[in-house]
Amino acid sequence: MTSRLVLLGPPGAGKGTQAARLSTQLGIPAISTGDIFRSNVAERTELGQRAQRYMDAGEYVPDEITNDMVRARLAQPDSAQGFLLDGYPRTLDQVAELDAMLAGLDARLDAVVELTADDEVVVQRLLGRAAEQGRADDTDVVIRRRLEVYHEQTAPLAEHYATRGLLRRVDGIGSVEEVTARVLAALNAS
């Protein structure tokens, strides 16, 4: 079974939910930049304060901050046998940085899973989550801006990984269990 994975998809496509399930199923850590950012914001670290400005505007945190965080996380012992990256890479520059990080660890990606979802479904999911969880970063305007940024900057990664033979596209709409089954089937087929 694949052990070094990247999970792509628009905000609200279910990446966090699937990352947690796949982490358990595959026995590898799920590494979420969103969780790392939120933790730093809650703890009011210098990194958290810097990241907060971008997150509040629906923008991505600059590569230099994100790359350093991911590099440190991949160097931890629990990542040696595999990992699932959720929220990284988000740009082609970050793809190159991740490739360099992995080369330094004498490792490579096994697969990239893209969860697909219609933009309007995503907006409704995120508005519902904001109401349930009181998340200040999930307003209609910010969600739509995050989707624009995703389509401009991150969606091209799927095509890049497809040309490398690593991409597995999976429909992210359906029950949590159905989507997990689709992801596992796509990984097993590779």
Side-chain angles (χ1 to χ4, degrees), residues 36-45 47-49 51-52 55:
I36 294 169
F37 293 151
R38 282 187 283 277
S39 171
N40 278 276
V41 167
E43 295 169 16
R44 300 205 39 81
T45 66
L47 175 62
Q49 291 175 30
Q52 181 73 57
M55 292 165 57

